[in-house]
Amino acid sequence: MVKEKVYTQVASLEDIKMNTGKTLRYKGLELALFRLGDNTVKAIENRCPHRGGVLAEGIVSGEYVFCPLHDWKIDLNAGEVQAPDRGCVKTYPVRIQDGQIYLLLPHPDDLVS
């Protein structure tokens, strides 16, 4: 039985340098967290849809990340690859409270450890 998604504390805001990404592994998921210049945090699937590049290692520019393998530009809000390339990655809603980062994730019981 699939349970409701829940906000789960995954990291501290101070764990991520400004305008950089960080790989997060959580119960079978591999995500990329990005702390943007306006101090917001974005969370997406950590693999580029083109060739599986590790997006947390990409270059952050505004609200986009550029894949480190072939420079595909991915919107951190919608997860959409920008034209002329095509594809998308999954995004995850983020909340920041008291310096802690929370992601809306599938219920922990529904994830593989």
Side-chain angles (χ1 to χ4, degrees):
M1 181 174 120
V2 176
K3 297 177 179 77
E4 284 188 42
K5 292 181 178 184
V6 295
Y7 274 93
T8 304
Q9 193 271 336
V10 295
S12 174
L13 190 59
E14 66 186 29
D15 292 340
I16 307 172
K17 295 179 183 173
M18 195 73 69
N19 291 315
T20 62
K22 179 179 179 72
T23 296
L24 169 71
R25 290 179 182 86
Y26 179 80
K27 297 206 177 220
L29 295 175
E30 184 173 324
L31 310 176
L33 299 178
F34 296 94
R35 184 174 176 188
L36 306 184
D38 63 0
N39 222 23
T40 60
V41 174
K42 303 295 181 182
I44 63 172
E45 180 180 1
N46 197 26
R47 296 290 172 192
C48 179
H50 176 229
R51 297 282 178 155
V54 179
L55 294 175
E57 297 174 3
I59 296 172
V60 177
S61 178
E63 293 189 341
Y64 298 91
V65 63
F66 290 83
C67 176
L69 292 182
H70 298 103
D71 211 31
W72 278 32
K73 183 179 180 182
I74 300 170
D75 181 336
L76 292 171
N77 292 303
E80 295 175 355
V81 173
Q82 303 301 287
D85 302 311
R86 298 168 71 186
C88 65
V89 295
K90 185 170 178 143
T91 62
Y92 296 85
V94 177
R95 285 187 184 163
I96 300 173
Q97 182 177 344
D98 298 326
Q100 299 301 306
I101 301 168
Y102 295 82
L103 301 183
L104 186 60
L105 298 171
H107 193 280
D109 292 346
D110 294 329
L111 296 172
V112 177
S113 293

